[in-house]
């Protein structure tokens, strides 16, 4: 699957760019396979006995959901490149066609592993805990009768069987919806000789049906998959016909939206039109239950215009992500993570107004270990403060019931000047964000959609307040979205500050987003697409200079993805100069560590655990005077050149030390640290059973 060559170089002492070709494709990993390997690491958590059983189910679901998006976006994108005749090779020298072949090989193995883990590990362990998924042959007579009645009363009224004949051609299948292909024979009431029919299951129907406790065979929980019920009673939908089989399947389609922003006048209206077609894009994957006969499988492939390479035969429900609701249906706290209460900084526990505290000190928060409530209160209190004149806010993904959105609406109703930069194109949140923008506009909020051609991914809020006849600015800057629920499961940093230079910079970025004026010079912030890439290059060069002059030198980067070739080259140069480079890359990493003479000094790790590692942090030792920035941006081409991003400085020594301590704890070998080898494979950095998990350690530290 792709190139995994280990390049051995033996450069002369003082090797440099003149002696090594850093464009060598053997120095880079393929990004799509790197992302699939991330999903493999997620799936391995389902086998970790130290994780509570119902939480392990979630990891299998997350892997399934990630795979859906991978096919909807990345596989679809590669297919578009082939259709355009684009044969430009990737960083590791492979063509789009080669990459697609690699993806198919890896994906088939990954899907097989998903269902092996489900059937051979998770379901048997659930049964030990008295949690069962009952097959039809296991039903008691009472259960059979109850499920038959359930099918008649709850399922039959909301589905429409579609027989396939000249008057009823093969239907347009909705993206990722559960369908059944019914194979039959016989003549219907009109004398037609029918062979096939398709059943579409609306998303309103639960995919797991809980059997009432009074009908249960045990004292535990018993469930039946909707697919099992439909297969058992499908014959009731076709009276007089002989049913030979009923087989579940699911089609995945291209779900990326395309809008030419240069040729439209109303982005929201254009996106609305595109959203209507998302469910019916080009097919990219077909999942079919593995008991389906070859004749029927080939029939589906032909109707979906797919090849056998794009077929995935599965041993279980075709959408594992629907198991995500299981922990909520089973009241077993002993099989779930122990709950925790995020900490609130002491200075905010005394009931003082948050703006008053911010005038005295910066407030650094590490979510979810520390509460997201201060961020919400920052906007809420500003909305109700009579001396606050204006609030500006970026919104990327906030959720439909965001308290921050409600606070912005309250502020507008109170007569304050409220501006919201809403990113309509946040993938798979477009519809919610269009509704959000309309809701804000109706309340009197000035809503803008950012800059044409650039997604606004920066996470920032600005408050302007009158204080003793002067205007004072306050700002929040974050690495994550303004989403209260995500703040419980995503790790992110927030900075609440009244630093004049930082707040002035935030004001200038908002001016660029809303006024489209000239490029402003910023004092403290690094922003894409203007200065962020240059600043990162500059600080890596500084570390090279420091080590060449005999000073301490080290680079620590924590990001979600690393794909930008220019910055990878620069990190290789730093390694060649002797700079110690330590990278925490959760997902895609195209940099190849451990190449002799090139990346000997680079270590790449990936933290996978209870919380999704989402924060981005850049640390440069700077001759023992650390430069520390947190950011909304990954080191990817899209973040550096095609998005509005912000990196903000951590200026006070106490906060710097906190972040550096956090990063070094994650880099220390532990049971959540996966180390990347130069063959592209990851291994847990410590196999010792007594080794702690770094996220658990951070939870313990913050609970003190």
């Amino acid at each position: 699957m792709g190139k995994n060559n280990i390049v051995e170089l033996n450069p002369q002492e003082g090797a440099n760019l003149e002696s090594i070709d850093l464009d060598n494709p053997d120095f880079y990993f393929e990004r799509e396979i790197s992302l699939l390997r991330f999903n493999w690491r997620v799936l391995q958590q389902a086998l970790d006995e130290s994780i509570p059983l119902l939480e392990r189910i979630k990891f299998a679901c997350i892997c399934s959901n990630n795979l859906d998006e991978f096919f909807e976006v990345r596989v679809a994108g590669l297919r578009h490149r082939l259709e355009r005749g684009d044969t430009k090779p990737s960083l590791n020298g492979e063509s789009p066609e080669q990459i697609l072949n690699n993806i198919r090989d890896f994906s088939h193995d990954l899907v097989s592993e998903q269902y092996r883990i489900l059937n051979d590990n998770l379901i048997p362990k659930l049964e030990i805990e008295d949690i069962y998924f009952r097959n039809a042959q296991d039903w008691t007579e009472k259960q059979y009768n109850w499920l038959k009645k359930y099918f008649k009363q709850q399922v039959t009224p909301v589905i429409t069987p579609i027989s396939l004949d000249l008057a009823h051609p093969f239907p347009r299948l909705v993206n990722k919806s559960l369908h059944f292909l019914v194979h039959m024979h016989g003549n219907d009431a009109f004398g037609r000789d029918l062979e096939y029919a398709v059943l579409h299951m609306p998303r309103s129907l639960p995919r797991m049906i809980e059997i009432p406790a009074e009908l249960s065979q045990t004292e535990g929980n018993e469930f039946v998959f909707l697919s099992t019920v439909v297969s058992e009673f499908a014959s009731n939908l076709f009276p007089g016909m002989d049913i030979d089989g009923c087989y579940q399947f699911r089609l995945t389609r291209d779900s990326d939206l395309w809008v030419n922003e240069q040729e439209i006048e109303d982005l929201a209206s254009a996106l609305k039109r595109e959203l209507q077609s998302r469910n019916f894009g080009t097919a990219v994957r077909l999942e079919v239950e593995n008991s389906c006969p070859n004749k029927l499988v080939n029939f589906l492939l032909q109707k979906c215009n797919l090849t056998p390479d794009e077929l995935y035969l599965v041993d279980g429900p075709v959408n594992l992500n629907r198991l995500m609701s299981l922990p909520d249906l089973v009241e077993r706290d002993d099989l779930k993570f122990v709950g925790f209460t995020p900490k609130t900084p002491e200075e905010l526990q005394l009931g003082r107004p948050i703006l008053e505290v911010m005038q005295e000190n910066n407030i650094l928060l590490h979510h979810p270990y520390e509460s997201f409530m201060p961020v919400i209160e920052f906007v809420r209190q500003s909305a109700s403060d009579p001396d606050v004149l204006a609030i500006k806010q970026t919104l990327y993904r906030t959720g439909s019931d965001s308290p921050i959105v409600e606070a912005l609406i309250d502020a507008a109703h109170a007569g304050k000047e409220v501006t919201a930069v809403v990113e309509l194109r946040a993938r798979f949140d477009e519809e919610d964000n269009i509704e959000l923008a309309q809701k804000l506009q109706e309340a009197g909020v000035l809503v803008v959609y950012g800059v044409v051609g650039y997604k606004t991914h920066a996470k920032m809020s600005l408050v302007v307040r009158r204080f003793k006849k002067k205007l004072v600015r306050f700002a929040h800057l974050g690495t994550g979205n303004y989403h209260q629920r995500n703040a419980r499961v995503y790790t992110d940093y927030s900075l609440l500050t009244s630093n004049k230079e930082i707040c002035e910079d935030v004001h200038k970025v908002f001016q660029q987003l809303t006024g489209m004026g000239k490029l402003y010079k910023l004092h403290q912030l690094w922003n894409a697409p203007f200065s962020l890439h240059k600043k990162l290059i500059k600080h890596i060069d500084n570390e090279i200079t420091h080590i060449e002059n005999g000073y301490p030198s080290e680079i620590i980067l924590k990001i979600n993805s690393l794909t930008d070739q220019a910055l990878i080259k620069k990190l290789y140069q730093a390694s060649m100069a002797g700079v110690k480079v330590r990278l925490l890359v959760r997902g895609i990493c195209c940099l190849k560590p451990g190449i002799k003479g090139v990346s000997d000094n680079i270590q790449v790790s990936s933290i996978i655990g209870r919380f999704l590692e989402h924060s981005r942090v850049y640390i440069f030792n700077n001759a023992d005077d650390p430069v520390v920035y947190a950011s909304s941006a990954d080191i990817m081409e899209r973040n550096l050149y095609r998005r509005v991003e912000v990196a903000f400085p951590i200026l006070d020594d106490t906060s710097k030390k906190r972040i550096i301590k956090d990063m070094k704890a994650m880099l220390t070998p532990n049971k959540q640290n996966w180390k990347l080898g130069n063959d592209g494979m990851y291994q847990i950095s410590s196999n010792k059973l007594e080794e702690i998990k770094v996220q658990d350690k951070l939870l313990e530290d913050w609970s003190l």
Side-chain angles (χ1 to χ4, degrees):
M1 285 174 283
K3 295 183 179 180
N4 285 327
N5 301 339
I6 302 174
V7 181
E8 293 288 344
L9 300 174
N10 295 290
Q12 299 294 319
E13 186 73 22
N16 53 37
L17 283 177
E18 285 69 39
S19 62
I20 296 177
D21 178 14
L22 293 183
D23 288 318
N24 186 335
D26 290 333
F27 291 176
Y28 302 91
F29 289 126
E30 180 185 308
R31 70 178 66 191
E32 282 77 16
I33 295 300
S34 181
L35 184 53
L36 285 174
R37 284 183 172 135
F38 162 68
N39 287 318
W40 179 84
R41 297 194 298 280
V42 171
L43 182 60
Q44 297 312 298
Q45 306 308 297
L47 293 172
D48 187 342
E49 298 282 350
S50 67
I51 297 174
L53 181 56
L54 289 175
E55 304 293 347
R56 289 160 59 190
I57 295 285
K58 290 182 179 179
F59 283 104
C61 295
I62 292 168
C63 179
S64 176
N65 187 62
N66 289 348
L67 268 182
D68 285 351
E69 184 173 338
F70 180 83
F71 276 89
E72 289 176 284
V73 177
R74 293 188 177 273
V75 172
L78 285 165
R79 285 167 57 105
H80 285 314
R81 288 183 58 188
L82 285 176
E83 291 166 3
R84 295 195 307 267
D86 181 357
T87 59
K88 181 182 177 182
S90 63
L91 283 178
N92 75 329
E94 297 192 335
S95 69
E97 187 172 13
Q98 288 173 307
I99 295 171
L100 276 173
N101 289 335
N102 295 340
I103 286 171
R104 287 163 186 160
D105 290 343
F106 198 109
S107 297
H108 278 97
D109 291 343
L110 183 57
V111 169
S112 295
E113 180 70 357
Q114 277 184 296
Y115 286 90
R116 185 195 68 79
I117 289 174
L118 175 69
N119 293 312
D120 297 347
N121 186 285
L122 296 177
I123 287 180
K125 291 186 182 301
L126 286 169
E127 291 178 352
I128 292 173
E129 298 293 343
D130 270 351
I131 303 169
Y132 297 88
F133 288 95
R134 297 296 189 190
N135 295 316
Q137 62 267 26
D138 301 324
W139 298 344
T140 65
E141 183 179 354
K142 289 183 178 180
Q143 289 175 338
Y144 177 91
N145 292 332
W146 184 85
L147 288 165
K148 184 177 181 180
K149 184 178 180 181
Y150 180 93
F151 180 80
K152 180 180 179 180
Q153 295 182 345
Q154 302 296 325
V155 179
T156 301
V158 296
I159 63 174
T160 303
I162 303 173
S163 59
L164 304 182
D165 58 19
L166 291 177
H168 302 87
F170 197 80
R172 292 182 71 189
L173 304 175
V174 177
N175 182 39
K176 296 188 299 184
S177 286
L178 175 62
H179 296 87
F180 291 85
L181 180 64
V182 183
H183 189 217
M184 67 184 81
H185 65 272
N187 295 321
D188 70 357
F190 296 95
R192 296 176 300 175
D193 185 10
L194 300 178
E195 185 176 7
Y196 297 114
V198 171
L199 305 176
H200 169 241
M201 296 296 114
R203 287 191 167 93
S204 59
L205 288 174
R207 272 33 178 183
M208 290 185 298
I209 303 163
E210 186 166 12
I211 296 175
E214 62 270 20
L215 300 179
S216 179
Q217 302 174 43
T218 71
E219 294 183 359
N221 300 84
E222 296 189 30
F223 299 90
V224 178
F225 288 119
L226 176 65
S227 55
T228 305
V229 174
V230 172
S231 296
E232 182 67 20
F233 299 114
S235 59
N236 294 347
L237 301 171
F238 305 94
M241 304 294 292
D242 293 319
I243 305 300
D244 300 317
C246 179
Y247 306 98
Q248 58 175 315
F249 71 96
R250 188 173 75 131
L251 190 67
T252 308
R253 297 184 178 276
D254 176 0
S255 295
D256 218 2
L257 301 181
W258 187 86
V259 174
N260 188 340
E261 297 181 27
Q262 306 293 337
E263 298 181 2
I264 61 173
E265 295 183 0
D266 188 335
L267 178 60
S269 296
L271 280 172
K272 281 183 181 179
R273 291 192 295 270
E274 280 293 303
L275 282 168
Q276 294 172 2
S277 63
R278 169 172 273 171
N279 283 329
F280 301 104
T282 304
V284 294
R285 176 182 61 166
L286 176 66
E287 297 165 280
V288 185
E289 67 171 277
N290 60 3
S291 62
C292 187
N294 288 337
K295 175 186 174 181
L296 275 65
V297 170
N298 291 330
F299 172 79
L300 287 172
L301 285 172
Q302 185 263 326
K303 292 298 183 182
C304 297
N305 196 28
L306 292 172
T307 69
D309 285 338
E310 293 153 324
L311 168 70
Y312 292 80
L313 296 174
V314 301
D315 186 12
V318 292
N319 185 0
L320 285 186
N321 192 44
R322 287 302 191 115
L323 286 167
M324 185 68 83
S325 61
L326 182 64
D328 295 328
L329 298 173
V330 177
E331 296 182 4
R332 289 286 300 276
D333 290 343
D334 58 313
L335 301 180
K336 303 175 186 179
F337 284 130
V338 176
F340 71 98
T341 301
K343 185 178 179 182
T344 300
E346 292 182 8
E347 59 267 37
L348 297 179
Q349 295 178 16
L350 304 177
R352 295 173 62 199
I354 195 165
L355 298 185
E356 182 180 307
V357 177
M358 289 171 64
Q359 277 192 294
E360 299 172 2
N361 298 294
N362 291 334
I363 302 169
L364 179 69
L365 303 170
H366 190 186
H367 315 301
Y369 312 105
E370 290 182 286
S371 175
F372 189 69
M373 282 306 298
V375 179
I376 295 173
E377 284 303 309
F378 169 62
V379 183
R380 276 181 176 166
Q381 292 182 25
S382 298
S384 61
D385 187 333
D387 291 323
V388 167
L389 306 179
I391 302 174
K392 300 178 188 291
Q393 177 86 47
T394 61
L395 298 171
Y396 191 76
R397 302 184 199 272
T398 60
S400 58
D401 55 350
S402 168
I404 284 181
V405 170
E406 295 304 321
L408 295 176
I409 290 172
D410 290 343
H413 288 164
K416 303 183 191 305
E417 183 72 17
V418 182
T419 303
V421 181
V422 180
E423 182 46 71
L424 297 181
R425 296 155 297 181
R427 184 177 288 134
F428 299 115
D429 278 342
E430 297 95 343
E431 187 171 3
D432 287 343
N433 285 354
I434 290 171
E435 293 178 3
L436 167 65
Q438 292 174 337
K439 182 178 180 180
L440 289 168
Q441 287 172 328
E442 290 169 0
V445 175
L446 174 62
V447 176
V448 295
Y449 302 142
V451 182
V452 173
Y454 297 85
K455 281 188 179 182
T456 301
H457 195 248
K459 313 305 191 302
M460 56 186 188
S461 180
L462 184 70
V463 169
V464 181
R465 185 178 189 271
R466 183 184 291 110
F467 182 74
K468 295 181 179 179
K469 298 184 179 181
K470 294 183 179 181
L471 296 184
V472 181
R473 294 190 180 102
F474 302 84
H476 168 264
L477 293 145
T479 66
N481 300 303
Y482 291 99
H483 196 299
Q484 186 178 18
R485 289 189 301 278
N486 283 357
R488 292 278 301 187
V489 291
Y490 286 23
T491 70
D492 277 302
Y493 283 103
S494 280
L495 178 68
L496 292 159
T497 183
S498 61
N499 177 278
K500 289 184 179 180
E501 288 191 334
I502 292 177
C503 290
E504 175 67 21
D505 285 354
V506 172
H507 168 75
K508 290 177 179 177
V509 175
F510 271 112
Q511 289 291 94
Q512 289 173 345
L513 287 171
T514 60
M516 314 298 180
K518 66 178 182 178
L519 177 62
Y520 293 99
K521 180 180 179 181
L522 304 182
H523 298 286
Q524 294 288 348
L525 300 187
W526 304 345
N527 70 322
F530 305 113
S531 63
L532 179 54
H533 184 267
K534 295 175 185 176
K535 291 290 188 180
L536 289 168
I537 293 287
K538 174 186 173 183
H539 280 274
I540 296 172
D541 279 334
N542 286 347
E543 294 304 307
I544 294 172
T545 300
H546 289 320
I547 201 162
E548 289 175 346
N549 292 330
Y551 294 104
S553 180
E554 183 180 31
I555 298 168
I556 298 175
L557 302 178
K558 181 178 183 295
I559 47 185
N560 295 333
S561 296
L562 173 58
T563 66
D564 181 69
Q565 187 176 20
L567 275 159
I568 292 174
K569 281 184 181 181
K570 186 59 65 174
L571 291 170
Y572 282 154
Q573 291 177 41
S575 171
M576 291 160 60
V579 178
K580 187 176 183 181
V581 180
R582 297 200 280 177
L583 307 176
L584 286 158
V585 187
R586 187 191 80 215
I588 303 172
C589 181
C590 292
L591 179 148
K592 186 177 289 189
I595 304 172
K596 189 173 181 181
V598 176
S599 55
D600 312 67
N601 292 311
I602 301 178
Q603 170 191 316
V604 180
S605 297
S606 176
I607 301 294
I608 307 291
R610 173 178 183 173
F611 306 123
L612 179 78
E613 290 295 337
H614 190 256
S615 56
R616 293 88 163 183
V617 175
Y618 320 140
I619 300 173
F620 303 94
N621 180 273
N622 193 37
D624 284 340
D625 183 17
V627 173
V628 179
Y629 271 72
S631 179
S632 60
D634 289 306
I635 300 182
M636 304 178 75
E637 295 84 348
R638 70 183 188 189
N639 298 87
L640 298 171
Y641 314 122
R642 300 192 298 275
R643 288 186 174 186
V644 177
E645 304 273 14
V646 164
F648 52 94
I650 308 301
L651 298 175
D652 64 279
D653 288 339
T654 301
S655 296
K656 281 185 184 181
K657 289 176 181 177
R658 278 183 55 192
I659 289 183
I660 292 171
K661 180 182 177 183
D662 290 345
M663 296 305 107
K664 291 192 173 180
M666 293 181 192
L667 288 162
T668 301
N670 68 85
K671 289 181 69 177
Q672 290 175 325
N673 182 306
W674 294 78
K675 188 174 181 181
L676 175 62
N678 54 17
D679 59 354
M681 303 306 291
Y682 286 80
Q683 299 291 332
I684 285 288
S685 61
S686 176
N687 291 320
K688 297 179 182 178
L689 293 178
E690 67 272 21
E691 283 282 6
I692 197 165
K693 296 182 177 182
V694 65
Q695 291 182 348
D696 291 347
K697 178 65 166 60
L698 289 170
L699 266 181
E700 290 175 8
D701 291 346
W702 284 110
S703 66
L704 296 178

